Amino acid sequence: MSSLTITGVTKSFGTTRAVDDVTLHVPHGSFTTVLGPSGCGKTTLLRLIAGFLVPESGSIAFGDTVVAGDGVRSTPPQARRVGYVPQEGALFPHLDVAANIAFGLPKESRATTGGRDRVAEMLDLVELPADFRHRRPDELSGGQQQRVALARSLAPQPAVVLLDEPFSSLDASLRGSTSRAVRRALEATNTTALLVTHDQNEALSLADQVAVMRAGRLVQSAPPSEVYLSPSDPQVAEFVGRAVVLPGTAEDAHATCALGQVVLTEPASGPVSLMIRPEQVYVDLTHDAGVRGEVEEVSYYGHDCAVQVRLADGTPVLARMAGVLHPVPGDTVHLRVTGLVRAYRPAGSP
Ligand code: ATP
């Protein structure tokens, strides 16, 4: 295994800059998720790392070895030692699980004791029973197939594993258990991995580092909690979760806005846009402390609920609260902000 370093990589298709000057470092043995909307360049970035595409500028290195760019002849995909796990359909339907996993190993070792031991080790790693080795892919669930695809990619001990939306075809419950099993397998083998997804929950819950892409550019890369609580701009905030963005006026550590006075993550002054997560908005049902508003809509999810409130001045505010005791449309509530709030210069200001 080795680290992965992408430096100033650009790739265009005609007039479309699919990947635009992207710089990203994935430390050895760590897990990065690349999060972005459809068409932002995620798959193109993976294909550049795998060697299926060549960057027009910039460089890609595995550890100290440059595999593309910097005037170095591009290393072909088969020589890069990259494991690739696609969305679905990656397994050979006519081969059993053991043969699928062994396919990643050198031809001469597949039928040896060492090859068979490696297959058994990989099955164990992805938490599948040993007797699954004789099953064909159509005798496995979608989640089990993706675990076999991961086992195959890990069998030859790749430098880096790339996962392209590997859970997108799975239903919600299988998605959670499969992604956690994959995460454990990657951790156990200390594998450097990059997973692309447009699913915010997946990106935040799995990774050591989340890299957010927008229109070909990398707009933020940071640990999940930093991306969620301190997004680099309000658009990132709204992409990685629900956000209430309000205009306000800052003075040092505080700002005032339609929700009253809030405490800032960093001192600021003058006009700002304030980013407040809905779960930071405390909904008081019984007291009159806070800013008064009327409940317009409640979406009940069981464990929690989303409460849409209209303040007296007309400002809409979304709050998220526990589902145990919640208001109903038409109720009067009082809102106040808890925790720290991130302030941004309003769009268009110098
Ligand atoms: P999705 O989540 O929908 O898979 P993505 O973020 O992976 O999207 P890419 O597939 O990398 O996005 O595409 C980025 C941009 O490059 C898009 O505008 C796409 O139309 C364009 N693009 C990708 N591959 C090609 C190609 N081979 N030829 C022309 N344009 C391409």
Side-chain angles (χ1 to χ4, degrees), residues 115-278:
R116 279 191 289 274
D117 287 350
R118 186 75 184 145
V119 167
E121 196 187 331
M122 291 297 104
L123 270 178
D124 186 46
L125 180 70
V126 297
E127 301 168 19
L128 288 177
D131 57 3
F132 271 39
R133 59 183 299 127
H134 303 300
R135 292 202 190 183
R136 283 206 326 270
D138 63 2
E139 294 169 321
L140 302 176
S141 73
Q144 290 163 348
Q145 288 181 27
Q146 287 308 75
R147 291 181 195 214
V148 174
L150 178 73
R152 183 175 66 186
S153 77
L154 289 173
Q157 295 183 299
V160 171
V161 168
L162 305 174
L163 304 105
D164 190 358
E165 308 226 17
F167 316 119
S168 60
S169 61
L170 308 180
D171 67 43
S173 63
L174 203 53
R175 216 181 157 116
S177 55
T178 309
S179 63
R180 285 192 297 277
V182 164
R183 162 91 225 199
R184 284 193 293 273
L186 292 169
E187 238 169 35
T189 46
N190 205 20
T191 299
T192 308
L194 195 76
L195 176 147
V196 310
T197 179
H198 59 264
D199 182 314
Q200 294 86 347
N201 293 335
E202 197 165 283
L204 293 174
S205 63
L206 290 178
D208 301 307
Q209 170 178 248
V210 180
V212 185
M213 280 186 82
R214 190 166 67 215
R217 298 192 74 98
L218 191 68
V219 285
Q220 185 170 15
S221 55
S225 61
E226 192 176 326
V227 168
Y228 186 74
L229 294 173
S230 196
S232 58
D233 61 45
Q235 276 172 285
V236 173
E238 286 174 323
F239 187 67
V240 297
R242 304 294 294 272
V244 180
V245 180
L246 296 176
T249 306
E251 196 180 339
D252 295 330
H254 295 89
T256 46
C257 65
L259 281 172
Q261 193 176 68
V262 298
V263 185
L264 301 178
T265 51
E266 284 171 36
S269 66
V272 285
S273 292
L274 300 165
M275 194 286 292
I276 301 159
R277 292 292 179 198

Side-chain angles (χ1 to χ4, degrees), residues 13 16 18 37-44 165 198:
F13 298 106
T16 306
S38 181
C40 73
K42 305 182 296 293
T43 300
T44 305
E165 308 226 17
H198 59 264

